[in-house]
């Protein structure tokens, strides 16, 4: 099952999105929050992200949801710390972080592959709310 | 690290920490107002990390620690960008205990390539590259005409200063400031400024 990592500048945002996504997921679905800095401050930390990716992977790869700016840079930096095998099966979804995470988790819980999970997350960009 | 190496990095760190408010004010004008806080936090962490390593003399090894520490402690985009820059600069200086112009040229080249790659950025976008690329070119011009390391770094510092001035004349197309479009014109870029400050600290140290 494809794992999902949530990278936000805020630990609370990442944890909160994880909680919401858990409601929609299969019991064995891995959803790991990588929000904020080690000291609890606002920011992103590539090492926290790389650890989260390792924890989220069960062999089928990991889709990563990001918020703004440095979340992308930190995640791309985190990729450099992964071993080559895992690096070949991680992907950032160009999607809104909350809607993308929930869509990704639903797709992943169906047992879909990484490309399908990322595509579904990115589809959340055009979800109409009203 | 040799006394010198430790002192150089401390000098750079202290000048960044001393400019915390200035960098934050510049960033508040066109970004999210955290560049000074983030950079100071990063270099405070570097200071703590290097304590007890005053005798380490391998420049590459120390730069690698600096890079890793910035990546994990800065928090904003500058963390992965400067962190990657220091990590890349660590490769040509690996195992070296002193630097000549050729090695420094390779280090700057590798650092800039790392920033370009990580930030998917180039010059003219109102970023740190607008200070660093002219600085590198000026350094290389000096090196090619046989100038000393200090003289080359002085040229680089002057070019970086002009680069910072140049960022006032252009609009941002990368980073948070790009949301402001035309309103970013007239302001100097905080990232270019922090790059300039690091070179300034280096030159002032060498002039002592």
């Amino acid at each position: 099952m494809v794992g999902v990592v949530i990278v936000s500048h805020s630990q609370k945002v990442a944890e909160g999105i994880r909680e919401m996504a858990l409601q929609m997921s299969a019991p064995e679905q891995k959803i790991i929050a990588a929000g904020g800095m080690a000291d609890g401050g606002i920011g992103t930390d590539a090492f926290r992200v790389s650890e989260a990716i390792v924890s989220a992977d069960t062999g089928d790869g990991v889709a990563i949801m990001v918020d703004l700016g440095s979340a992308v840079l930190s995640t791309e930096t985190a990729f450099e710390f992964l071993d080559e095998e895992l690096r070949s099966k991680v992907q950032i979804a160009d999607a809104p972080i909350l809607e993308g995470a929930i869509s990704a988790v639903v797709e992943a819980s169906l047992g879909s592959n990484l490309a399908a999970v990322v595509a579904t997350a990115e589809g959340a960009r055009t979800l109409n709310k009203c | 690290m040799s006394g010198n190496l430790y002192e150089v990095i401390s000098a750079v760190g202290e000048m960044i920490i001393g400019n915390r408010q200035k960098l934050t004010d510049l960033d508040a004008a066109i970004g999210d107002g955290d560049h000074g806080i983030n950079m100071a936090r990063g270099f405070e962490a570097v200071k703590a990390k290097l304590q007890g390593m005053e005798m380490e003399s391998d420049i590459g090894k120390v730069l690698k620690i600096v890079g890793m520490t910035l990546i994990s402690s800065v928090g904003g985009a500058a963390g992965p960008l400067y962190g990657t820059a220091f990590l890349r600069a660590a490769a040509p200086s690996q195992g070296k205990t002193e630097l000549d112009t050729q090695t420094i040229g390779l280090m700057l080249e590798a650092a800039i390539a790392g920033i370009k790659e990580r930030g998917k950025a180039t010059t003219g976008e109102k970023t740190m590259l607008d200070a660093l690329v002219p600085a590198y070119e000026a350094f290389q011009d000096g090196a090619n005409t046989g100038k000393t390391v200090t003289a080359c770094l002085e040229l680089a510092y002057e070019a970086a200063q002009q680069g910072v001035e140049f960022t006032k004349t252009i609009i941002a197309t990368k980073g948070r400031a790009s949301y402001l479009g035309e309103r970013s014109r007239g302001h100097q870029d905080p990232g270019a400024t922090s790059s300039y400050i690091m070179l300034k600290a280096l030159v002032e140290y060498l002039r002592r």
Side-chain angles (χ1 to χ4, degrees):
Chain A
M1 196 169 283
V2 173
V4 174
V5 167
I6 298 151
V7 182
S8 169
H9 281 62
S10 156
Q11 192 175 337
K12 286 181 186 164
V13 167
E15 295 287 349
I17 291 174
R18 177 177 182 273
E19 268 183 59
M20 285 177 70
L22 273 174
Q23 290 189 309
M24 311 287 287
S25 69
E28 64 274 32
Q29 175 68 47
K30 294 264 193 191
I31 310 171
I32 311 288
M37 308 289 293
D39 65 3
I42 295 275
T44 57
D45 172 351
F47 292 103
R48 280 167 82 82
V49 176
S50 76
E51 283 166 18
I53 293 170
V54 171
S55 318
D57 181 49
T58 55
D60 297 323
V62 180
I64 298 133
M65 307 297 139
V66 293
D67 61 5
L68 300 170
S70 73
V72 179
L73 295 183
S74 286
T75 302
E76 287 170 350
T77 306
F79 290 171
E80 286 192 20
F81 305 139
L82 303 174
D83 65 48
E84 233 166 273
E85 203 217 328
L86 183 49
R87 202 183 309 152
S88 67
K89 49 185 187 184
V90 291
Q91 205 177 328
I92 298 174
D94 185 4
I97 185 167
L98 170 64
E99 292 86 342
I102 290 173
S103 307
V105 161
V106 169
E107 189 68 50
S109 292
L110 297 172
S112 305
N113 66 20
L114 178 61
V117 170
V118 169
T120 300
E122 292 182 348
R125 275 189 300 209
T126 52
L127 274 181
N128 292 328
K129 292 185 187 177
C130 51
Chain B
M1 119 175 53
S2 70
N4 280 348
L5 177 55
Y6 184 77
E7 281 172 31
V8 168
I9 293 179
S10 299
V12 170
E14 289 307 329
M15 195 165 285
I16 289 288
I17 292 165
N19 279 279
R20 181 197 318 242
Q21 194 58 46
K22 183 188 174 180
L23 291 172
T24 291
D25 291 346
L26 290 172
D27 195 27
I30 55 169
D32 49 1
D34 61 5
H35 189 55
I37 297 163
N38 288 345
M39 290 297 289
R41 173 167 60 193
F43 275 96
E44 292 282 4
V46 166
K47 201 157 85 173
K49 197 84 177 179
L50 292 184
Q51 239 153 44
M53 290 192 59
E54 289 87 347
M55 301 313 289
E56 177 59 56
S57 62
D58 181 337
I59 294 167
K61 193 172 164 186
V62 170
L63 292 182
K64 198 170 168 191
I65 292 170
V66 172
M68 297 293 244
T69 307
L70 292 178
I71 286 171
S72 66
S73 62
V74 169
L81 292 170
Y82 279 127
T84 301
F86 277 96
L87 288 183
R88 296 289 168 89
S93 56
Q94 193 71 39
K96 293 196 192 286
T97 55
E98 51 188 82
L99 300 172
D100 53 20
T101 52
Q102 195 196 348
T103 310
I104 297 175
L106 291 172
M107 290 164 72
L108 287 171
E109 187 184 8
I112 288 168
I115 292 171
K116 284 183 169 173
E117 187 189 312
R118 178 71 61 232
K120 302 179 187 78
T122 185
T123 47
E125 295 178 325
K126 201 176 179 101
T127 71
M128 53 180 78
L129 289 170
D130 291 313
L132 290 172
V133 171
Y136 166 68
E137 287 167 357
F139 184 93
Q140 287 299 77
D141 285 347
N144 291 339
T145 52
K147 293 197 164 64
T148 64
V149 166
T150 304
C152 291
L153 283 171
E154 283 179 340
L155 292 172
Y157 158 69
E158 283 159 20
Q161 191 167 24
Q162 287 163 16
V164 169
E165 290 302 312
F166 169 67
T167 64
K168 291 180 187 170
T169 68
I170 57 177
I171 64 166
T173 53
K174 276 275 159 11
R176 203 74 71 94
S178 64
Y179 294 129
L180 295 177
E182 195 57 46
R183 278 197 293 139
S184 66
R185 204 190 297 276
H187 297 277
Q188 78 189 59
D189 179 62
T193 308
S194 58
S195 293
Y196 154 74
I197 287 171
M198 286 189 220
L199 279 166
K200 184 178 180 201
L202 206 54
V203 166
E204 285 186 5
Y205 176 83
L206 292 170
R207 279 176 182 162
R208 269 183 226 163

